[in-house]
Amino acid sequence: MTVGVQDPYRLLGVLRTADERTIRSAYRQKVKDCHPDLHPGDRQAEERFKALSVAYAILNDADKRRRYDRGELGPDGTARARQSSATSSGPDFGGMRGHNKPFRDPYLDEAFDEADDPVIWQNRTQGTPPPGRDDFAPPPPPADDDLTDLFREIFQDGATRPQAGRGSGGNGLRGRDVRYTLTLSFAEACYGTRKRLPLNTGRDVTVPIPPASENGQVIRLSGQGQHGATMALAGDLLVELQVQPHPFFTRKGLDLHAPLSLNLAEALRGGRITMTGLRGQLAVMVPAGIGNGQVLRVSKLGLRAGEMTGDLYLTIAVILPPNADDALTTFVSDWIDRNPYHLPGR
């Protein structure tokens, strides 16, 4: 089923008084549902996309729009014949004949709504004029920066499933998107890096890893996928990140979480404690008398992303000596007997 040539206003669903912004918005909305890249092999969608493009090429060009409104252009964008004199043969529609005005069928909208002329589209595709139409010249495709952004958005929306389709920047087939997996250490994902990724084609690409990257996050490298046909867009390279877990550190957004082990004396007297961080040694201040299981918040020692910086949360783990002798046991017991204190839940 092909899409007949229709009145551009009716095809885009706009009034004849619509301004440029309204026309552009209507076109952007409608081509999202029928772009060939999102409907490969769908002939009906392709025909509708062609019809919408022709309609927009007419209405987006002020001169062509005026000529169409005067009846000098047909709804397919080609010039129409003029009635040059009152003696010209042909039907008289509403007194049009004999007034030296271009002929315009008052039933144009309704007639073309029902029209189904695959010859026009075939000739437009092949670049040859229809029979008896030496002045045939298909309108150029719309040239609009906003539409370029629209097509880029459409391609990115459909790129999660690797498939071939027509690219907006060429006449051939757009290259396929290619997926790879890249393994990162926990620290590399947290602080960002640049990683070399060998491809099956024999070449390597450098993948920029932004700070605070997440496990399963996909990084898109535009134009690094399979090559398209001549003058067509290349596909994209989609790199999925697999972040290895860390034995001590975990993440919640930009905040880092880790345990901090203290011996009995450190927990009692507090002070400056050195611990192993993700990028070397960290020094943190521990208050005296901190208890097992308490959480110590260290401001601004988390991850940074843009203007945001997370915190470091340390869960205290007081570790008793594995080889306590009788002297230590007796001392602690005597001290507690002299200084009893409340234990929650006891």
Side-chain angles (χ1 to χ4, degrees):
M1 175 180 177
T2 58
V3 178
V5 183
Q6 300 181 25
D7 172 40
Y9 292 101
R10 183 167 297 185
L11 187 59
L12 293 180
V14 298
L15 299 176
R16 293 183 177 273
T17 56
D19 57 17
E20 293 181 3
R21 172 178 290 185
T22 302
I23 292 172
R24 182 183 297 109
S25 176
Y27 175 73
R28 287 168 60 94
Q29 186 63 36
K30 288 182 179 293
V31 296
K32 283 185 178 181
D33 299 327
C34 63
H35 197 282
D37 271 2
L38 302 182
H39 302 275
D42 188 335
R43 180 65 177 173
Q44 186 174 356
E46 181 178 354
E47 291 296 330
R48 179 165 175 77
F49 177 77
K50 290 179 180 178
L52 289 169
S53 298
V54 172
Y56 182 74
I58 294 173
L59 300 187
N60 189 53
D61 185 296
D63 179 64
K64 289 181 180 179
R65 183 177 179 180
R66 285 192 297 269
R67 292 176 63 196
Y68 175 77
D69 291 340
R70 293 196 301 263
E72 298 173 6
L73 291 182
D76 61 351
T78 60
R80 304 187 69 187
R82 290 175 176 266
Q83 294 280 10
S84 59
S85 69
T87 60
S88 299
S89 61
D92 182 358
F93 290 108
M96 291 290 292
R97 189 161 65 92
H99 290 277
N100 292 326
K101 294 181 179 180
F103 173 75
R104 174 78 183 268
D105 187 343
Y107 305 106
L108 177 68
D109 296 349
E110 289 75 18
F112 275 108
D113 275 348
E114 303 299 328
D116 189 0
D117 191 356
V119 175
I120 291 178
W121 287 118
Q122 179 180 1
N123 288 326
R124 291 173 68 82
T125 302
Q126 297 175 353
T128 57
R133 297 290 298 276
D134 294 335
D135 62 343
F136 175 83
D144 193 302
D145 291 340
D146 290 341
L147 299 182
T148 301
D149 294 337
L150 167 65
F151 291 142
R152 182 180 296 112
E153 172 187 333
I154 291 175
F155 295 143
Q156 291 179 352
D157 288 344
T160 55
R161 52 186 187 280
Q163 62 184 18
R166 294 195 313 171
S168 64
N171 299 322
L173 293 176
R174 180 178 181 269
R176 290 181 180 271
D177 294 337
V178 180
R179 280 188 173 272
Y180 279 80
T181 299
L182 183 61
T183 301
L184 303 176
S185 70
F186 187 84
E188 288 173 331
C190 286
Y191 297 107
T193 185
R194 297 176 69 85
K195 297 276 286 187
R196 299 290 293 178
L197 176 64
L199 305 181
N200 293 337
T201 58
R203 66 186 180 95
D204 293 349
V205 296
T206 299
V207 182
I209 309 298
S213 293
E214 300 278 359
N215 185 56
Q217 180 177 334
V218 175
I219 295 178
R220 178 188 300 272
L221 300 181
S222 299
Q224 296 293 325
Q226 289 187 2
H227 292 295
T230 304
M231 300 299 292
L233 294 173
D236 297 339
L237 177 62
L238 307 177
V239 182
E240 181 177 350
L241 304 182
Q242 287 190 351
V243 181
Q244 295 176 324
H246 193 274
F248 300 110
F249 283 87
T250 58
R251 275 185 57 190
K252 290 183 180 179
L254 297 180
D255 295 329
L256 289 174
H257 294 255
L260 177 60
S261 299
L262 302 177
N263 61 37
L264 188 58
E266 290 172 332
L268 290 172
R269 67 173 179 253
R272 184 183 181 92
I273 304 297
T274 301
M275 62 173 291
T276 302
L278 292 174
R279 296 193 295 183
Q281 297 298 106
L282 291 177
V284 296
M285 293 299 297
V286 175
I290 194 167
N292 190 57
Q294 287 186 245
V295 177
L296 179 65
R297 174 176 171 265
V298 186
S299 179
K300 304 300 183 182
L301 282 187
L303 306 183
R304 177 176 295 180
E307 301 297 325
M308 304 291 292
T309 303
D311 299 325
L312 172 63
Y313 290 86
L314 300 173
T315 302
I316 301 300
V318 179
I319 308 299
L320 297 177
N323 53 353
D325 55 18
D326 292 339
L328 177 60
T329 303
T330 301
F331 170 80
V332 172
S333 298
D334 292 343
W335 189 93
I336 291 177
D337 289 341
R338 295 191 306 270
N339 301 278
Y341 58 94
H342 175 69
L343 297 175
R346 300 273 298 273

